[in-house]
Amino acid sequence: MLRQLRSFSSTSASLKNLKIGLIPGDGIGREVIPAGKAILENLPSKFGLNFEFVNLDAGFELFQKTGTALPDETVKVLKEECDGALFGAVSSPTTKVAGYSSPIVALRKKMGLYANVRPVKSVEGIGRPVDMVIVRENTEDLYIKEEKTYKAEDGTRVAEAIKRITESATTRIAKMAYDIALKRQSIRGTVQSLHSVPSVTVTHKSNVLSQSDGLFREVCKAVYEANPEEYNGIEYKEQIVDSMVYRMFREPEIFDVVVAPNLYGDILSDGAAALVGSLGVVPSANVGDNFAIGEPCHGSAPDIEGKGISNPIATIRSTALMLEFMGYSEPAAVIYEAVDANLAEDKIKTPDLGGNSSTNEVIEDIVRRLN
Ligand code: NAI
Ligand code: MG
């Protein structure tokens, strides 16, 4: 039905064909991924994009049925056939289940998606004004899980974890942060923004961890300074992570792009999501050098599954984000605009935002606004 709202020829020679992997996963992942598909199918024909979709399996329910959470076939199709992908959500068992580990974590590793990019933008009239993007390093820091427990001389236990920061991983995440600051600027012609000048805030704790976080800070700064022409328009800032948390809640409007090592990035990005009203509107993308997977930040939400009221906006924004990383910022801007217009009108909203509309009604309203 959504498809009929806008029609375009799929036979024109000038159309660019793109294949998108759809990985709904568990729970409301299956309700929101169709939103991303509907948006892509109904993008204005002026962009000349034609989408083909391939449904791919992953998730805890799949694991319960087949013993595999992430089939090799899913990774193979993504690598060999797809130009981009959307991932819904997966459920995690509350107690350890032998043989199960999160398919999205495995997918990030197998696809080389070293950055987790999470834009947090406020909903008109809800919470504080905020328009920031957290760029989290996704492969190292304390999350390499090199931990051990041993006995001290007095017989009590000691646990240790390695925090590893490398120059190479920091260089690529810093570059990504500066590039995003510039890319966002190019979208700003059409999308309302809080920031007239792009900035990147490097978050660290190098006053205490002078070697590890010291290296992170030093490399981020060096990457900036080594590219004066390219990064000319970007303001470089630094913030120690504890005061970053304080300032992010006191004056979130001042932050544009924030780059952080894995652990701080994880904490900051969930904290920032609390600033904007509902998990149902916060998107993310898992990004590498050649591939991006859009993923709503929320989980599988078993409490609302099957009721038809999941907010599709996080997925719709994740779809735009995926397009941005695929190099299509113009259609991405049109999607962001359509979402902002839906939110600004304050009429067709799902219950998490205080409305009483269904998932499909919100999708249809946003599709109608794509132009
Ligand atoms: P959750 O994000 O699924 O839900 C938290 C709360 O937000 C619930 O009240 C839910 O109804 C609401 N909510 C989430 N998304 C929404 C949407 N689109 N529209 C309206 N309301 C929405 O987190 P929870 O409950 O802690 O976890 C449920 C399951 O999801 C667990 O198995 C957990 O492990 C998994 N999970 C998976 C993630 C992923 O796939 N990346 C991330 C977070 C949790
Ligand atoms: Mg987290």
Side-chain angles (χ1 to χ4, degrees), residues 242-260:
D242 41 357
S243 63
M244 176 72 206
V245 172
Y246 180 75
R247 295 193 76 184
M248 195 174 80
F249 284 96
R250 295 278 298 199
E251 40 182 355
E253 60 279 2
I254 69 169
F255 293 106
D256 182 7
V257 176
V258 172
V259 62

Side-chain angles (χ1 to χ4, degrees), residues 49 82 178 214:
L49 299 177
C82 294
Y178 300 127

Side-chain angles (χ1 to χ4, degrees), residues 228-247:
E229 268 165 42
E230 203 181 337
Y231 301 150
N232 180 29
I234 302 172
E235 197 184 336
Y236 175 87
K237 302 189 209 174
E238 290 178 358
Q239 192 77 46
I240 292 174
V241 65
D242 41 357
S243 63
M244 176 72 206
V245 172
Y246 180 75
R247 295 193 76 184

Side-chain angles (χ1 to χ4, degrees), residues 81-263:
E81 297 176 25
C82 294
D83 299 289
L86 296 173
F87 186 95
V90 287
S91 300
S92 309
T94 43
T95 52
K96 192 162 172 51
V97 172
Y100 180 75
S101 67
S102 165
I104 183 66
V105 174
L107 198 52
R108 285 173 188 149
K109 217 175 255 171
K110 290 189 172 171
M111 300 292 295
L113 308 176
Y114 58 81
N116 189 261
V117 178
R118 194 184 282 199
V120 181
K121 191 170 192 287
S122 49
V123 176
E124 277 285 310
I126 301 178
R128 309 212 27 148
V130 37
D131 181 10
M132 63 194 285
V133 180
I134 295 169
V135 181
R136 164 186 168 192
E137 202 290 323
N138 230 357
T139 66
E140 55 179 26
D141 194 10
L142 275 167
Y143 288 13
I144 54 173
K145 296 203 283 189
E146 288 184 26
E147 292 186 287
K148 63 176 179 192
T149 307
Y150 59 92
K151 287 261 168 74
E153 274 175 18
D154 67 0
T156 57
R157 284 171 303 161
V158 179
E160 284 176 2
I162 306 270
K163 173 180 166 96
R164 180 171 299 125
I165 302 286
T166 65
E167 187 170 355
S168 59
T170 307
T171 300
R172 68 186 181 189
I173 201 73
K175 280 188 178 154
M176 183 172 290
Y178 300 127
D179 290 347
I180 288 173
L182 293 172
K183 219 187 278 167
R184 258 159 75 76
Q185 197 63 11
S186 71
I187 287 198
R188 279 176 189 147
T190 47
V191 178
Q192 224 184 344
S193 162
L194 280 177
H195 311 286
S196 51
V197 177
S199 71
V200 172
T201 304
V202 177
T203 309
H204 61 85
K205 186 78 188 177
S206 71
N207 52 329
V208 177
L209 299 167
S210 60
Q211 303 274 319
S212 51
D213 280 8
L215 183 64
F216 187 83
R217 171 179 172 271
E218 185 193 311
V219 171
C220 287
K221 192 155 193 263
V223 169
Y224 177 76
E225 288 171 348
N227 298 282
E229 268 165 42
E230 203 181 337
Y231 301 150
N232 180 29
I234 302 172
E235 197 184 336
Y236 175 87
K237 302 189 209 174
E238 290 178 358
Q239 192 77 46
I240 292 174
V241 65
D242 41 357
S243 63
M244 176 72 206
V245 172
Y246 180 75
R247 295 193 76 184
M248 195 174 80
F249 284 96
R250 295 278 298 199
E251 40 182 355
E253 60 279 2
I254 69 169
F255 293 106
D256 182 7
V257 176
V258 172
V259 62
N262 211 338
L263 172 65

